[in-house]
Amino acid sequence: MTNRRDFLKKSAVLAVAAAGVGSASSALAGSQDFKKKTPVQEKKKKPNIVFFLSDQHRRQAMGFWKKEKYRNALNGTSDPVHTPFIDAFAEESVVLTQCISSTPVCSPHRGMMLSGMLPHANGVPWNCRIDREWGLINKLDTLGVVLSRNNYSCGYIGKWHLDKPEPNDPANPGKYIGESDPDWTKPLAHHMDSYTPPEYRQGFDYWYAYGTKDDHADPHYYDTDGKRHEPGVWATTHEVDMAISYLKNDKQQRVEGNPFCLFVSTHPPHSRYIEVRDTDPEMYDQFYSPEKIADAKSLLNRPNLGVDGLPIKMTYSTREPSEKSIAEGKGPSEDVARIYFSSVTGVDRQFGRLLQALKESGQLDNTIVVYSADHGEMLGSHKLMEKSVIYEEALGIPMIIRYPQKLKPSVNDVLMGSMDIMPTLLGLAGLGDKIPAAVDGHDLSGYLAGTADKQDKPTFAPYMLHTEQKGLRTDRYSFVMNREGEGALFDNINDPYQLNNIFNEETEIVKELGKTLGAFLRNSDDLWFQERINKDLIQYT
Ligand code: CA
């Protein structure tokens, strides 16, 4: 087996710099025994954390934005979607209006979210896949590791997607787990699903997860002992069943009496969006079927729908998809909108069920509960589907945090990026002094609680597409350039649908943002800084 992740930060930087496929080799780290925990005194008990992570759930796709108190907080219109449980949850929470996925694609966001570190430092600069040599480095002090060290029980349920697939199927040694799938073709296909052995579980001692799999009606999972489960139930429904069991601790999944951190990472909403079995059929029938909505065009209300945008070199999403990709549910057909929004509503329904269970267990108010996603979904805006682009539909994610002991319900415009999530959670949990020195993100808990000095508020959140694009999201602008020096600048206040790229006109703003970007890349020891890429546009010194 390739010991790909047993290297430290500096060598990870160099490995990525050397073409993004550094295969490091040194002895594999021994797994830590996270189960050795001591019961803690009730009065000193830290809060639990329940982090509900959905997938291609764009920030605009939540029903509460239509309410008077939220309407002006969202830049541009929101989607006509039903999310009654998220809406009620938002009323009791801090709702962030400017949280972004710093690399809007699955694996890098997840790597940053758990490590608080830059993608080139944590080992996951782009999606993990069978033909790429990266995965989350297993010697880092990631969220689960830090919490475990502080007597938390840590559980992970659902999609992980932070490992390079290896031939390590527990039931078939030497085989990839994909080889047990009916649709498996050959080991060198662009396969992304994986089995995560215990030493790579990043402090999560309870495990019920998989790499990634787009057939949401037929999910599979590997439990703590490596046993495969195929429940034959829509993924989110089953994952919440498992999460409720974890909350009840009915199978001694965690140390009773100790605080716990539970991630429920659900793949929907995510392509494929082909047929009703891909979503929650009841929510589809109730709200989005042709009987309920005769013209699916009414679901797609953004003025940038189908409008040409950035040159193809600056987009990594699916543009004007082929008939094949439409057949695979990746095209901007109107039926896709029915499936997408009913997936969001189906996820909302399950999130509501989880909240209800948490409430019934008596633990709700001593729990930091988060609803978020790993990136958004273009859904036809700018003729694009999916993500991997700086447009707000892909970049903007839900970030709703309920923790009544510290947070008053409010709408908050603090700029949060993927790397800020881990230190902010530790800060909220009263573990701000345990944030590892290697963390690149910021603890924003003070801004959420209203106790931090507003003068120190972040002025930007970084945007990175591996070594190909670098940029920033500020309160007003979205700014990005590719290696060839082509750029985009959008004024999100005057142009919320990002129809006018003013990169070539607004040279003073580009210069100012180039200075900020240069300082960030220099401090990050980024490849672009090392090679002074676009040095005429980015002030590195
Ligand atoms: Ca994703």
Side-chain angles (χ1 to χ4, degrees):
M1 186 187 298
T2 315
N3 299 327
R4 68 202 178 279
R5 290 177 290 180
D6 190 27
F7 50 91
L8 296 175
K9 184 168 179 172
K10 187 64 184 170
S11 57
V13 173
L14 296 174
V16 173
V21 287
S23 179
S25 57
S26 58
L28 187 67
S31 71
Q32 298 175 50
D33 186 354
F34 293 109
K35 295 207 168 182
K36 281 183 188 163
K37 298 188 177 99
T38 48
V40 290
Q41 299 290 322
E42 196 64 31
K43 62 180 176 184
K44 290 184 189 167
K45 195 175 164 184
K46 297 288 186 194
N48 308 310
I49 299 171
V50 172
F51 198 111
F52 194 99
L53 181 73
S54 72
D55 204 298
Q56 242 146 263
H57 189 175
R58 65 188 188 186
R59 184 201 290 136
Q60 297 87 355
M62 297 190 284
F64 63 81
W65 295 121
K66 294 275 184 247
K67 294 183 192 174
E68 188 66 38
K69 64 188 276 197
Y70 296 106
R71 194 176 298 155
N72 294 328
L74 183 71
N75 204 19
T77 191
S78 61
D79 292 309
V81 64
H82 298 269
T83 55
F85 296 102
I86 292 174
D87 299 353
F89 176 67
E91 294 281 348
E92 300 177 348
S93 306
V94 174
V95 175
L96 268 65
T97 58
Q98 300 198 103
C99 186
I100 69 160
S101 179
S102 293
T103 303
V105 67
C106 308
S107 307
H109 174 86
R110 289 155 188 266
M112 285 186 273
M113 175 187 74
L114 291 179
S115 70
M117 293 168 66
L118 289 154
H120 65 255
N122 68 36
V124 193
W126 199 240
N127 261 353
C128 297
R129 208 167 73 174
I130 205 166
D131 56 341
R132 298 170 180 162
E133 285 303 320
W134 49 64
L136 189 57
I137 298 169
N138 66 340
K139 290 178 85 172
L140 303 176
D141 284 341
T142 54
L143 181 65
V145 175
V146 174
L147 291 173
S148 290
R149 202 179 283 145
N150 287 278
N151 268 322
Y152 273 73
S153 290
C154 295
Y156 197 98
I157 295 171
K159 170 174 164 170
W160 175 250
H161 206 184
L162 282 167
D163 295 310
K164 176 184 186 289
E166 303 275 10
N168 62 354
D169 185 340
N172 296 295
K175 303 274 190 193
Y176 294 92
I177 59 163
E179 292 179 84
S180 301
D181 294 340
D183 58 353
W184 176 259
T185 50
K186 54 183 178 177
L188 289 178
H190 290 168
H191 198 70
M192 295 191 183
D193 200 6
S194 58
Y195 169 68
T196 304
E199 66 269 25
Y200 287 162
R201 291 179 191 164
Q202 302 285 344
F204 292 97
D205 50 76
Y206 171 79
W207 193 258
Y208 192 79
Y210 63 102
T212 182
K213 184 173 189 280
D214 287 353
D215 187 353
H216 313 304
D218 186 23
H220 60 219
Y221 305 88
Y222 289 84
D223 68 18
T224 307
D225 300 322
K227 185 166 180 278
R228 180 168 164 133
H229 301 264
E230 298 177 11
V233 177
W234 193 55
T236 315
T237 307
H238 180 64
E239 286 150 12
V240 168
D241 285 346
M242 297 303 290
I244 290 172
S245 173
Y246 185 91
L247 296 181
K248 290 179 177 165
N249 205 19
D250 56 11
K251 297 187 176 66
Q252 286 75 54
Q253 294 99 319
R254 56 189 172 83
V255 179
E256 188 67 41
N258 280 16
F260 61 83
C261 171
L262 176 65
F263 269 75
V264 183
S265 167
T266 197
H267 206 11
H270 190 283
S271 43
R272 55 184 217 180
Y273 313 122
I274 305 177
E275 50 188 320
V276 177
R277 76 188 284 274
D278 294 328
T279 182
D280 177 333
E282 289 176 27
M283 295 299 98
Y284 179 90
D285 288 342
Q286 201 169 327
F287 297 110
Y288 306 98
S289 67
E291 289 71 32
K292 299 290 177 185
I293 295 179
D295 183 1
K297 279 185 189 143
S298 65
L299 292 168
L300 298 167
N301 63 5
R302 301 186 71 72
N304 55 15
L305 195 77
V307 176
D308 255 327
L310 294 169
I312 196 83
K313 262 198 295 185
M314 297 202 69
T315 65
Y316 285 80
S317 295
T318 311
R319 170 176 278 219
E320 303 217 55
S322 63
E323 279 181 26
K324 178 173 175 288
S325 58
I326 290 171
E328 287 169 352
K330 291 176 180 169
S333 78
E334 287 146 16
D335 285 342
V336 164
R338 297 187 198 275
I339 304 288
Y340 178 71
F341 288 121
S342 58
S343 297
V344 171
T345 302
V347 168
D348 173 75
R349 178 193 199 186
Q350 297 306 324
F351 178 62
R353 210 158 62 85
L354 182 64
L355 284 179
Q356 185 60 29
L358 193 55
K359 191 175 177 184
E360 284 167 8
S361 75
Q363 301 174 102
L364 179 61
D365 287 347
N366 190 39
T367 300
I368 299 165
V369 184
V370 182
Y371 185 91
S372 192
D374 65 359
H375 47 73
E377 162 64 66
M378 291 304 293
L379 204 63
S381 286
H382 296 286
K383 295 185 180 172
L384 298 171
M385 287 297 293
E386 304 194 319
K387 57 260 187 178
S388 318
V389 68
I390 199 168
Y391 288 126
E392 282 290 281
E393 292 85 352
L395 196 70
I397 52 174
M399 180 57 75
I400 312 172
I401 309 172
R402 184 189 188 280
Y403 182 35
Q405 293 188 18
K406 282 193 179 174
L407 304 179
K408 290 197 183 88
S410 55
V411 178
N412 193 306
D413 66 357
V414 71
L415 286 158
M416 178 186 272
S418 310
M419 291 182 288
D420 303 324
I421 296 171
M422 179 259 208
T424 299
L425 284 174
L426 290 175
L428 283 174
L431 293 166
D433 59 336
K434 309 290 186 193
I435 296 169
V439 163
D440 296 298
H442 302 288
D443 171 8
L444 302 178
S445 60
Y447 299 100
L448 305 183
T451 56
D453 189 339
K454 283 191 177 143
Q455 300 236 310
D456 300 328
K457 208 172 159 189
T459 56
F460 72 93
Y463 172 81
M464 299 155 281
L465 276 194
H466 190 18
T467 57
E468 298 304 310
Q469 293 180 20
K470 306 287 173 183
L472 307 169
R473 170 70 159 75
T474 73
D475 276 324
R476 180 163 187 174
Y477 297 104
S478 295
F479 171 68
V480 63
M481 67 183 73
N482 65 15
R483 294 171 67 101
E484 290 76 36
E486 289 178 303
L489 174 67
F490 297 109
D491 178 343
N492 297 320
I493 292 177
N494 291 322
D495 178 23
Y497 303 102
Q498 302 175 315
L499 295 164
N500 302 307
N501 177 8
I502 53 175
F503 185 86
N504 292 324
E505 288 89 71
E506 297 291 347
T507 49
E508 282 305 308
I509 297 167
V510 166
K511 196 174 165 188
E512 202 55 39
L513 293 172
K515 207 183 289 177
T516 308
L517 180 60
F520 170 73
L521 295 173
R522 186 181 68 238
N523 292 337
S524 308
D525 197 20
D526 191 276
L527 174 75
W528 276 37
F529 165 67
Q530 292 170 25
E531 299 186 3
R532 305 296 196 275
I533 289 172
N534 290 329
K535 62 182 185 325
D536 295 339
L537 292 161
I538 299 173
Q539 287 81 62
Y540 286 109
T541 53

